[in-house]
């Protein structure tokens, strides 16, 4: 989970980067989109430094559960979360951003539109397309994709 200290660090990194590139920020077509990109990159950097990348599925195999103390139900939920994470990561850039902000962060559509510089109708379109792609990817599952 993204903790308060991580969020504060990402915000500080973002503000420093914006300050360092102030002329480029002011010259950009969309200041909001430029700043959002810097913030998104800072969040990724903070998570990488904290080594919070998702565990590989091998870590959830039957032989590992007793050692890690992971109950069977929780391991299945973790595997499902990894499938959802992979499906979201496979979405096109704008769909992924909209789906992540709306469904993971809980941001309302108008706020996403302001942040990304897109029209609210475009955000809705990206959300609809993203949900359809996620439904298809999760319905097919990793095993079904490998057999096609």
């Amino acid at each position: 989970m993204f903790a308060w200290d991580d969020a504060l660090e990402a915000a500080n990194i973002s503000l420093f980067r914006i300050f360092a590139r102030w002329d480029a920020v002011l010259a950009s077509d969309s200041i909001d989109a430029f700043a959002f990109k810097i913030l998104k990159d800072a969040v990724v950097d903070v998570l990488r430094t904290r080594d919070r990348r998702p565990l590989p599925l091998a870590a959830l195999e039957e032989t590992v559960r007793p050692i890690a103390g992971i109950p069977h139900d929780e391991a299945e939920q973790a595997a499902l979360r990894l499938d959802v994470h992979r499906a979201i990561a496979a979405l096109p850039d704008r769909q992924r951003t909209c789906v992540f902000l709306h469904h993971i962060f809980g941001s309302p559509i108008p706020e996403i539109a302001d942040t990304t510089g897109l029209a609210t109708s475009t955000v809705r379109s990206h959300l609809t397309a993203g949900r359809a792609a996620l439904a298809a990817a999760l319905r097919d599952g990793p095993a079904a994709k490998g057999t096609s």
Side-chain angles (χ1 to χ4, degrees), residues 8-9 17 27 42 62 79 106 109 112 118 133 138 145:
L8 185 59
E9 185 176 348
R17 288 178 181 169
E62 204 60 47
I109 291 172
I112 296 169
L118 300 171
L138 295 173
K145 287 180 188 172

Side-chain angles (χ1 to χ4, degrees), residues 2-128:
F2 199 64
W4 176 255
D5 291 338
D6 296 331
L8 185 59
E9 185 176 348
N12 286 336
I13 290 169
S14 298
L15 291 174
F16 178 75
R17 288 178 181 169
I18 288 171
F19 177 74
R21 300 185 64 200
W22 188 247
D23 291 336
V25 171
L26 293 178
S28 69
D29 292 335
S30 173
I31 293 174
D32 290 342
F34 194 94
F36 177 75
K37 172 73 170 122
I38 290 174
L39 177 61
K40 186 170 106 174
D41 291 345
V43 168
V44 168
D45 291 345
V46 167
L47 291 177
R48 282 185 181 149
T49 60
R50 299 280 193 255
D51 197 28
R52 297 220 178 131
R53 284 166 274 161
L55 292 173
L57 285 177
L60 301 174
E61 289 178 2
E62 204 60 47
T63 57
V64 178
R65 283 192 191 122
I67 297 169
I70 301 172
H72 184 70
D73 291 345
E74 286 182 31
E76 287 179 8
Q77 288 295 320
L80 178 61
R81 286 187 187 119
L82 288 173
D83 289 343
V84 170
H85 172 74
R86 286 188 183 116
I88 290 173
L91 291 173
D93 216 20
R94 287 186 177 172
Q95 286 179 18
R96 181 177 57 247
T97 299
C98 292
V99 166
F100 190 79
L101 288 174
H102 188 66
H103 293 292
I104 306 297
F105 277 156
S107 300
I109 291 172
E111 184 178 314
I112 296 169
D114 288 341
T115 303
T116 59
L118 300 171
T120 55
S121 59
T122 305
V123 171
R124 283 189 189 94
S125 295
H126 286 310
L127 286 171
T128 300

